[in-house]
Amino acid sequence: TPASMEVTPMNSGERVFAVTIDLLGLIGFSTFVSSITTRMTQLRSLSQAKAQKDYDLRTFLHNNGISIEMRTAVMGFASSYKNVLKTKTDYGSIDVICNLPLRLKRLVTNELHFPYLRKHPCFSALISLDQQFAEDIANTALSGRALHKGEALFLTGELAEGMYFVMNSAELVSTAPLMSYRRLACEIEVTAGQWVCEAAILMEGWRFR
């Protein structure tokens, strides 16, 4: 070791061994310290970027005379929105996934979407009868959307653009309802694996009710 000790090399072979161990220890320790320093620098940069975004938001709200109640609501949304971004990653934002060869990208998309599509009887039958067509749907007609707590997915009377499959984050396993669908005096709880508004793909011009 680099520290002094009673055991010393007595011949050339032992000296070569001792010098080699000292060099390996020095290189290993330097690498370890360097990796920690790099990681701390990255964390500091992320923290500074987050703080700058929070500062810009507060400055915007203050300079434009936004009321305290509205500021609180906006900041609360910002906090929950950040948590949604942490728990859900859109594959479209990952460069490697976007630039995969077409065949490999289709296979990845199939594994991403097919488990949820198979829960619907119509799409399950479609996958069994014509998987190529189902793959075209998965690659061109599906998109993901992450919601924060309390956010409305749609409003009554709006023109429906499609149906929605409700899915949980892969690392969160829970049977608790993820959202509620209210129509008139009836409120229906929707859990992961269920879907809503399938009439939108059957009727043109259908509106949320």
Side-chain angles (χ1 to χ4, degrees):
T1 61
S4 60
M5 56 188 302
E6 297 296 332
V7 180
T8 58
M10 303 300 294
N11 52 52
S12 299
E14 292 178 354
R15 291 188 182 92
V16 170
F17 178 79
V19 171
T20 302
I21 295 300
D22 285 344
L23 289 176
L24 290 176
L26 180 62
I27 294 173
F29 182 74
S30 300
T31 303
F32 176 72
V33 173
S34 176
S35 64
I36 292 180
T37 303
T38 302
R39 180 65 65 179
M40 293 300 297
T41 301
Q42 292 175 346
L43 292 175
R44 188 178 297 109
S45 298
L46 291 175
S47 178
Q48 289 176 348
K50 176 180 177 297
Q52 182 63 44
K53 290 181 179 179
D54 290 342
Y55 174 78
D56 292 341
L57 178 58
R58 290 191 178 92
T59 301
F60 170 82
L61 297 175
H62 175 74
N63 292 343
N64 289 275
I66 306 300
S67 65
I68 295 179
E69 293 78 7
M70 188 59 65
R71 293 185 202 179
T72 303
V74 172
M75 295 304 298
F77 170 83
S79 178
S80 61
Y81 181 72
K82 292 170 188 174
N83 292 332
V84 168
L85 293 180
K86 290 179 181 178
T87 57
K88 186 66 178 176
T89 302
D90 182 11
Y91 76 92
S93 64
I94 304 176
D95 292 338
V96 174
I97 298 296
C98 294
N99 292 284
L100 285 174
L102 181 60
R103 182 56 185 168
L104 184 57
K105 184 177 180 180
R106 292 177 72 94
L107 293 175
V108 172
T109 306
N110 292 351
E111 292 197 11
L112 181 65
H113 296 303
F114 275 16
Y116 300 96
L117 289 176
R118 290 184 187 276
K119 296 180 182 295
H120 192 284
C122 178
F123 288 106
S124 179
L126 178 62
I127 293 173
S128 300
L129 295 174
D130 192 345
Q131 182 168 336
Q132 183 65 40
F133 182 54
E135 289 180 359
D136 291 339
I137 293 177
N139 281 274
T140 59
L142 296 183
S143 62
R145 177 180 175 183
L147 300 178
H148 70 89
K149 185 177 180 180
E151 181 180 0
L153 179 60
F154 54 82
L155 298 176
T156 301
E158 289 183 341
L159 183 64
E161 298 179 351
M163 66 180 295
Y164 298 96
F165 287 87
V166 181
M167 52 189 290
N168 209 343
S169 180
E171 61 268 16
L172 299 177
V173 180
S174 174
T175 58
L178 298 181
M179 59 179 292
S180 60
Y181 176 62
R182 180 177 299 172
R183 183 177 181 185
L184 300 178
C186 181
E187 183 171 344
I188 302 173
E189 293 182 337
V190 184
T191 59
Q194 295 183 316
W195 57 88
V196 294
C197 305
E198 62 181 340
I201 64 174
L202 303 175
M203 301 171 58
E204 185 178 358
W206 187 81
R207 294 181 177 273
F208 295 118
R209 307 178 181 184

